[in-house]
Amino acid sequence: MRGFMIAADRSGSGKTTVTRALMLLLKNAGCTVVPYKAGPDYIDPMYHEQITGVRGHNLDTFFTDKEKTRQLFARDFEDVPENSPVRDRIAVVEGVMGLYDGLGGFQPQGSSYDLAAALQMPIVLCVNARGAAETLLASISGILSFDKADLIHGIFLNEVSDSFYPILARRIEDYTGIPVLGHLPKNDSLHVESRHLGLFMPLDQDSTTQNQLLLEEISKRCEAERLFNITEMNDIMYQKPRRRLHGLVKIAIACDEAFSFFYRENEMALADAGAKIVYFSPIHDKTIPEGACGLIFPGGYPERYAEQLAQNTSMLSSIRAAIKSGIPVLAECGGFMYLHDSIDGKGPLVGALEGDCINTGRSVRFGYLKAADKGHFFIRDGEEIRGHEFHYYDVKDPGADAIVKKAASGESRYEGFCGNEGFVSFMHFYYPSCPSFVAHFIDEALVYGRKVQKQL
């Protein structure tokens, strides 16, 4: 098994650009790259998938314990086209924030390093070298002093000129004994712009042309063979979970320009619980899929498409009728907003929940969460589902049916709407953190399906 993590000293060092560059380099060298993102991020995996042709995955040691995380990694490593030989397969994990920054900034849980340690995965440290020389050695030395498991096997220098790179690389290698694998010069045309919820998505800009340029740039400054030489890691054996018969019940997931924030691991958890997953577009399709016994509305940017969503009256009627009939529903963040009357006054939308979702102009809440519904409809007593929140929008009545706890501070509040047939809130869920959550949803979908059959 081969793989490595690209991590950095801090956010803004350019690890997303470097990750994309190294994925392009390995892909061009004939490898099947299996992409991962450390932490709760939806947009980086879209770029990863565009480059590799393999679905992006998310792993996080706050969401799941060490052994569960290792099992998810091993399963994801097999989640590639059937004609992909194992010997040419390599996992590439993009880290999050600074290498050691975890829960609350100072706890290891949820950090890039904690994930790499759980997987015993080599780390390539991405360092922004712009405007630095000897001081860079001090910074790298300090980072290495925290590496108790000796996982940092390579260094990559970002934003350093071609002329200065050989001098700086030689000095770093002499001082640390760790190979400097390559570099990229500063080039604004390779940078991915950001918006308030993260990077602009691939569809928002000409990322295909940018990828071609990035491949040209990295190919001149990094050798795939040198990178490949540091990527060997111990095999992690995947133990297939007990799963229900595949396709017991049809679950329809909203997926289009407005709703695209859904973890691949969530899809796998649904399949393990017996779901046959189908997708539909609240923007373009006329109705929900025929025979659907459960609906899922993920996050995304529905505020950007509120007018188109409101104009699709046949879809809205179909969703309203299904909800009125008792179909089980899961919705999070953007999907939660879509179920309300309107967004920024634009509507009418589904109207299953009252109120207008309004942009507050600032981050309302951000961070890791633990949640359980007060009535224990979805989540067994003593259990919790984990996830995160990151939203600028708010609504007058966000609900009060779930106990939501901030993971870093322990602060609790009531939020969301939940009962036997649904759990909807601003929170983004990571399904593998709570199998009973998924099992209950599938059970309710089965009950709903039988009820519908009796009525026919």
Side-chain angles (χ1 to χ4, degrees):
M1 180 177 280
R2 292 187 177 275
F4 67 98
M5 172 185 285
I6 300 136
D9 57 336
R10 57 184 169 82
S11 294
S13 289
K15 62 179 174 289
T16 297
T17 299
V18 172
T19 299
R20 291 167 57 219
L22 297 183
M23 285 180 174
L24 285 162
L25 184 72
L26 291 168
K27 177 79 172 178
N28 192 58
C31 296
T32 297
V33 179
V34 186
Y36 297 81
K37 172 65 181 178
D41 186 293
Y42 296 103
I43 298 178
D44 283 339
M46 295 181 189
Y47 282 95
H48 299 169
E49 181 179 358
Q50 183 191 52
I51 290 168
T52 66
V54 177
R55 282 290 301 273
H57 302 88
N58 291 75
L59 298 175
D60 191 303
T61 56
F62 166 73
F63 289 158
T64 51
D65 62 29
K66 177 180 176 180
E67 187 52 39
K68 180 74 170 180
T69 301
R70 287 171 59 83
Q71 284 297 299
L72 289 171
F73 171 81
R75 178 177 184 169
D76 294 342
F77 195 71
E78 298 180 4
D79 186 32
V80 296
E82 291 182 3
N83 61 353
S84 164
V86 174
R87 61 181 174 80
D88 294 331
R89 202 175 298 175
I90 183 168
V92 179
V93 181
E94 179 178 349
V96 60
M97 300 189 296
L99 176 57
Y100 302 108
D101 303 331
L103 191 62
F106 295 95
Q107 299 178 46
Q109 197 177 33
S111 71
S112 300
Y113 192 82
D114 202 43
L115 175 58
L119 302 175
Q120 284 297 290
M121 170 176 277
I123 296 170
V124 173
L125 180 65
C126 170
V127 181
N128 191 303
R130 187 181 184 192
E134 189 74 3
T135 303
L136 202 63
L137 296 180
S139 299
I140 293 172
S141 180
I143 292 170
L144 291 174
S145 71
F146 278 70
D147 180 15
K148 306 304 181 185
D150 293 326
L151 297 175
I152 299 175
H153 290 186
I155 295 169
F156 190 97
L157 300 179
N158 192 35
E159 295 197 2
V160 62
S161 68
D162 291 336
S163 60
F164 189 50
Y165 168 73
I167 301 168
L168 185 57
R170 190 179 312 115
R171 182 77 175 100
I172 291 171
E173 290 180 341
D174 289 345
Y175 189 81
T176 66
I178 295 175
V180 179
L181 302 170
H183 76 291
L184 283 172
K186 180 173 173 56
N187 188 336
D188 290 337
S189 63
L190 301 178
H191 180 65
V192 180
E193 296 297 327
S194 298
R195 62 150 54 93
H196 66 269
L197 290 179
L199 300 176
F200 277 89
M201 296 192 289
L203 293 177
D204 294 328
Q205 58 181 16
D206 187 4
S207 55
T208 301
T209 300
Q210 191 182 65
N211 286 339
Q212 292 172 348
L213 175 60
L214 191 53
L215 176 58
E216 292 174 7
E217 294 294 293
I218 192 64
S219 296
K220 294 182 288 188
R221 299 175 175 91
C222 183
E223 296 177 11
E225 190 64 28
R226 289 193 73 203
L227 184 62
F228 200 73
N229 287 340
I230 69 155
T231 62
E232 190 169 347
M233 55 187 291
N234 293 329
D235 288 347
I236 301 174
M237 302 307 296
Y238 168 54
Q239 299 174 353
K240 291 186 178 181
R242 290 185 178 181
R243 59 185 299 178
R244 293 180 174 181
L245 292 175
H246 179 68
L248 280 176
V249 63
K250 185 183 288 187
I251 302 298
I253 302 176
C255 182
D256 57 18
E257 302 94 310
F259 306 102
S260 57
F261 294 173
F262 200 64
Y263 296 122
R264 174 63 173 156
E265 284 68 26
N266 285 4
E267 295 176 356
M268 291 176 163
L270 288 166
D272 286 344
K276 176 184 178 182
I277 297 172
V278 294
Y279 301 95
F280 72 102
S281 168
I283 293 178
H284 304 291
D285 294 337
K286 297 298 184 184
T287 64
I288 63 173
E290 184 178 355
C293 295
L295 295 177
I296 296 178
F297 297 96
Y301 292 124
E303 66 273 20
R304 298 179 64 196
Y305 302 95
E307 291 181 355
Q308 294 98 310
L309 290 166
Q311 289 167 2
N312 193 350
T313 55
S314 64
M315 173 59 74
L316 290 170
S317 297
S318 176
I319 293 171
R320 289 168 188 148
I323 291 175
K324 186 176 181 180
S325 71
I327 193 170
V329 176
L330 297 178
E332 52 190 73
C333 206
F336 177 63
M337 291 161 56
Y338 177 59
L339 295 181
H340 283 78
D341 292 322
S342 56
I343 299 174
D344 289 329
K346 298 174 182 176
L349 299 177
V350 175
L353 302 173
E354 293 183 359
D356 180 34
C357 297
I358 299 174
N359 189 342
T360 65
R362 58 181 176 82
S363 176
V364 178
R365 293 193 182 96
F366 170 78
Y368 286 119
L369 299 175
K370 306 174 184 178
D373 50 325
K374 290 190 293 187
H376 301 298
F377 299 112
F378 262 76
I379 302 169
R380 295 172 186 161
D381 191 10
E383 296 183 3
E384 61 193 10
I385 190 165
R386 298 190 172 199
H388 74 285
E389 61 183 344
F390 188 6
H391 55 99
Y392 277 51
Y393 278 76
D394 210 348
V395 67
K396 185 175 181 180
D397 180 14
D401 293 336
I403 304 167
V404 179
K405 183 183 293 185
K406 295 282 287 185
S409 66
E411 174 189 350
S412 297
R413 66 178 186 270
Y414 293 115
E415 190 174 283
F417 297 91
C418 44
N420 270 331
E421 297 169 349
F423 196 134
V424 301
S425 76
F426 273 115
M427 177 179 175
H428 289 285
F429 307 115
Y430 191 79
Y431 294 174
S433 68
C434 187
S436 66
F437 178 90
V438 182
H440 178 88
F441 178 67
I442 297 300
D443 287 343
E444 289 300 322
L446 286 166
V447 170
Y448 175 81
R450 296 187 191 106
K451 182 178 74 172
V452 171
Q453 285 295 320
K454 288 181 180 179
Q455 294 172 350
L456 293 179

